[in-house]
Amino acid sequence: ICLGYPNMPLAEAVLAEANKANPHGLMFMYFTGLLHMTRRQVDEAVAVFGKLVELGKPASKRQRAAAVDTTEPLSTSSILDSDLIKILRDLRLEDCSKSSEQPKLSTNRRSEWRQLQYMGYWERALCYMSMGMWMLAAEGFNKLRMENNWNKAVYTYSLACCLWEQAEMMGGECEEQKCLQEIVATLMAAVPALQRKVAGKSIPLEKFVIRKARRFQEQNSFLMRPGLELVASWNLYAKTPAERLHSVLAEVNQEIAVLAKHTPATYRHARLYDDLSVLLLVKAHALHELARPTCVYNLQPPSPDIQVPADVAADCHPELATAAADSYLRVMRLLPLVSRDHYLAAYARYNLGALYLADSAIDSERVAWARAHWQCILHGHPITAAPFVSLDEWSAHRKAVGVRAGMVAAEG
């Protein structure tokens, strides 16, 4: 979500002073971890959230003062077969459908500090997801699913997505992969029963995961890269290091190449263009963030009197930004062919406006482009309505090939 131009140096200075005065302050620690995530410093964020988890456990002041951070930097070598076996053994699937039962917590677990500990588990799991450390993320979501009652449907679906991605990474046919797929099917089947309402209203996020879980069952136990889609839904690609973004791009391009060989008649289910739109949106997100490896949010709003720092200008890659815009536009043009995931087109249009807003640090004219796209969303205009790129370019596009021709061309 675009929040304008926050003063990040001031936030760093305030948190540094607060952490110095309160080295074990859990709230300050939490915001420090978020600041590291904003800076794409995932290793540091994981370390801070790990320390938050340890200090959030019920303990005496002396024990808390003696607590040290034992979190290791992220590495693929930290995921061992023993971790997989341990997590699979700890999964208590028989408790999946107990949506109406409130967890029986001990006196210590009712404390407010315990809730901060759960926030640490949540943020650390998101960090692992953004890095593709699926089993480590699954461990955190499973912990939350078993102990925390904020939203069990979201926890269960997130756990299932992580296990599904881990199974996809294994490739081939093996016992561990089959075991993971069976667990995922059980978890997905349990998600709809975990729905609950607040003041008689359903929670939008729960609606999303429930619809996805039902889609999984309708499509013969299949979703197209649900973990990567969930990372995009949480806007985590903006906090992901460039190395992981390149890896995501390679994976997505491989999947798109496979889909290009199919038609709706030959594909494994009837929603080929839904899956293609998911992949294109993930690709656009990765390209979007790679186009600006250096965070530009410290810049002030565009003005002729403001000089863009040389290091920021050097880190901007216009060709990647153009490729990201093309992918966003293709998602929008595929909307008439999408049967279920209509949110993808609206999300693509919103992010296209965000891409143009980021470009406005270099080219102030693009502020108008971003504003025009967001106004279309706010006023409820059709996703494929003008402006497609800019008002002038959209007008030229209509005269050259027509709206329908442009949509058909996007299918290729």
Side-chain angles (χ1 to χ4, degrees):
I1 299 175
C2 294
L3 298 177
Y5 298 87
N7 193 330
M8 299 298 287
L10 176 61
E12 289 179 337
V14 170
L15 281 175
E17 190 69 23
N19 285 322
K20 183 178 179 180
N22 304 278
H24 299 295
L26 300 185
M27 287 301 300
F28 296 130
M29 201 176 297
Y30 174 76
F31 287 115
T32 300
L34 294 183
L35 182 61
H36 283 306
M37 289 181 66
T38 302
R39 293 294 191 190
R40 300 182 180 180
Q41 299 167 344
V42 182
D43 287 356
E44 291 82 352
V46 168
V48 171
F49 291 132
K51 188 176 180 180
L52 172 62
V53 167
E54 292 302 317
L55 290 176
K57 293 179 179 179
S60 65
K61 292 183 178 179
R62 181 176 299 179
Q63 288 174 324
R64 290 178 57 186
V68 296
D69 176 28
T70 58
T71 305
E72 299 179 356
L74 295 182
S75 64
T76 54
S77 61
S78 63
I79 300 181
L80 305 175
D81 292 339
S82 59
D83 295 324
L84 173 60
I85 295 172
K86 176 180 180 297
I87 293 174
L88 295 181
R89 185 177 64 248
D90 291 343
L91 284 173
R92 290 161 53 189
L93 300 180
E94 67 275 8
D95 294 338
C96 285
S97 60
K98 296 181 180 180
S99 59
S100 59
E101 294 183 6
Q102 296 293 328
K104 297 180 180 179
L105 302 180
S106 64
T107 303
N108 289 332
R109 288 187 177 180
R110 293 194 185 102
S111 68
E112 296 178 0
W113 305 119
R114 182 65 171 175
Q115 300 306 314
L116 281 175
Q117 183 189 21
Y118 288 137
M119 292 169 65
Y121 277 117
W122 171 259
E123 296 295 343
R124 188 170 63 174
L126 294 184
C127 288
Y128 286 138
M129 279 189 69
S130 69
M131 293 298 294
M133 317 291 279
W134 303 111
M135 292 309 296
L136 295 176
E139 186 175 5
F141 288 127
N142 188 50
K143 178 81 171 179
L144 292 168
R145 181 181 68 89
M146 299 307 304
E147 296 185 9
N148 187 263
N149 203 41
W150 170 67
N151 200 311
K152 289 186 177 292
V154 174
Y155 295 148
T156 304
Y157 178 78
S158 301
L159 171 61
C161 289
C162 291
L163 296 180
W164 177 266
E165 293 290 348
Q166 181 66 27
E168 289 293 302
M169 287 176 57
M170 292 179 176
E173 294 291 338
C174 59
E175 290 299 324
E176 291 82 359
Q177 185 185 46
K178 293 180 180 179
C179 179
L180 282 175
Q181 290 173 344
E182 292 175 0
I183 292 174
V184 169
T186 303
L187 291 170
M188 289 290 191
V191 170
L194 298 174
Q195 184 180 21
R196 60 182 197 175
K197 295 185 178 181
V198 177
K201 300 290 185 179
S202 298
I203 302 173
L205 185 56
E206 280 191 350
K207 290 182 179 179
F208 173 78
V209 300
I210 288 171
R211 288 173 182 173
K212 282 291 181 179
R214 287 172 176 163
R215 280 269 303 281
F216 179 84
Q217 296 175 292
E218 293 171 4
Q219 296 174 175
N220 297 320
S221 300
F222 177 81
L223 283 177
M224 175 55 71
R225 301 311 300 265
L228 297 182
E229 182 186 15
L230 203 56
V231 172
S233 300
W234 289 117
N235 197 30
L236 293 177
Y237 288 118
K239 306 172 180 67
T240 303
E243 295 79 5
R244 172 58 184 166
L245 292 175
H246 283 293
S247 176
V248 169
L249 265 182
E251 294 177 23
V252 169
N253 286 332
Q254 186 177 2
E255 296 282 1
I256 291 176
V258 173
L259 292 188
K261 301 176 182 178
H262 291 277
T263 65
T266 62
Y267 193 51
R268 62 191 306 162
H269 58 75
R271 303 183 182 98
L272 169 64
Y273 294 107
D274 293 61
D275 288 357
L276 179 58
S277 295
V278 169
L279 294 174
L280 287 172
L281 184 66
V282 172
K283 178 180 179 179
H285 269 289
L287 289 169
H288 184 163
E289 300 305 329
L290 284 172
R292 275 133 196 90
T294 299
C295 184
V296 299
Y297 298 120
N298 294 335
L299 300 176
Q300 297 299 315
S303 169
D305 301 328
I306 296 178
Q307 295 292 328
V308 178
D311 58 338
V312 173
D315 277 339
C316 294
H317 302 282
E319 70 283 358
L320 295 180
T322 301
D326 290 342
S327 294
Y328 284 136
L329 291 170
R330 192 176 176 190
V331 174
M332 292 161 59
R333 290 167 178 155
L334 283 173
L335 178 61
L337 303 173
V338 171
S339 61
R340 293 290 185 87
D341 289 329
H342 302 106
Y343 87 95
L344 294 170
Y347 196 31
R349 178 153 223 171
Y350 173 83
N351 283 282
L352 183 60
L355 178 66
Y356 289 149
L357 183 64
D359 277 342
S360 66
I362 310 300
D363 181 3
S364 60
E365 293 182 359
R366 297 206 173 189
V367 175
W369 295 13
R371 183 181 295 112
H373 280 289
W374 288 344
Q375 283 179 346
C376 285
I377 297 175
L378 290 174
H379 295 305
H381 295 166
I383 296 300
T384 53
F388 236 43
V389 178
S390 69
L391 292 173
D392 293 337
E393 291 183 18
W394 169 253
S395 178
H397 176 73
R398 286 178 63 93
K399 293 178 182 178
V401 295
V403 180
R404 182 59 186 169
M407 293 179 181
V408 174
E411 299 176 24

